[in-house]
Amino acid sequence: MELTRRDFEYLAAVYEEEVDGITRLYKIAERLNVKPPSACKALKDLEFAGYVERLPGRGYRLTNEGKVVYLKFLWKHRILETFFCRILGFSPDEACRSVACFDAYVPESVIAKMCEMLEHPVNCPHGFNIPHFPHRGDDVE
């Protein structure tokens, strides 16, 4: 399954809204400004793909694979933001808005080269931690 930007927004909602390892459907729907049935369908697709686990009567959580995919997405987004700020002179907010248009689609190999060029920054321009992954030389998405 090739993930879209919206899929990553759902993974982010599950990851960031977790309390005690579980996220409730209504919290995901609220965060993404959608109705619960829409959130339920999107989560079902992500569950089928192996990124989200549904805990009947309790809520949702990311699988281990879902966490890795989401953290790799954060890595891409935050390295791109850093590149746009340091190299292109964007403000942090401009960089965030700009890279959000395409961050999900940039190959890992490109991000790995940018990360190396930037000397593996620890924080993005907004001050958030940048997760790092060893690059294997291929794109797994």
Side-chain angles (χ1 to χ4, degrees):
M1 171 180 182
E2 186 163 330
L3 298 176
T4 65
R5 177 77 160 117
R6 191 63 171 168
D7 292 329
F8 286 111
E9 290 172 359
Y10 274 94
L11 294 177
V14 174
Y15 184 84
E16 294 172 10
E17 293 290 337
E18 278 188 4
V19 176
D20 296 325
I22 297 172
T23 306
R24 304 294 298 192
L25 178 64
Y26 80 91
K27 294 295 268 178
I28 296 165
E30 276 179 6
R31 180 184 178 100
L32 297 173
N33 199 29
V34 298
K35 296 194 182 308
S38 296
C40 187
K41 186 204 179 309
L43 290 166
K44 188 174 284 192
D45 292 344
L46 291 169
E47 181 182 9
F48 181 76
Y51 301 125
V52 172
E53 179 181 8
R54 181 175 173 266
L55 305 165
R58 296 176 54 211
Y60 296 85
R61 69 178 169 208
L62 295 182
T63 62
N64 287 337
E65 184 178 359
K67 287 177 187 170
V68 168
V69 166
Y70 174 64
L71 292 173
K72 281 186 179 184
F73 169 75
L74 277 184
W75 173 59
K76 287 179 169 189
H77 179 84
R78 292 177 179 170
I79 290 298
L80 285 164
E81 274 185 329
T82 303
F83 183 87
F84 272 50
C85 289
R86 287 190 194 172
I87 307 301
L88 303 178
F90 282 56
S91 73
D93 290 339
E94 288 174 316
C96 186
R97 280 191 304 274
S98 295
V99 304
C101 296
F102 62 88
D103 52 7
Y105 309 105
V106 179
E108 284 183 29
S109 58
V110 172
I111 301 300
K113 289 191 182 296
M114 293 172 90
C115 189
E116 186 176 328
M117 179 186 151
L118 296 166
E119 299 179 338
H120 306 284
V122 176
N123 295 311
C124 76
H126 288 101
F128 299 116
N129 181 55
I130 299 175
H132 288 275
F133 296 88
H135 183 65
R136 297 187 322 238
D138 57 345
D139 294 319
V140 288
E141 292 140 310

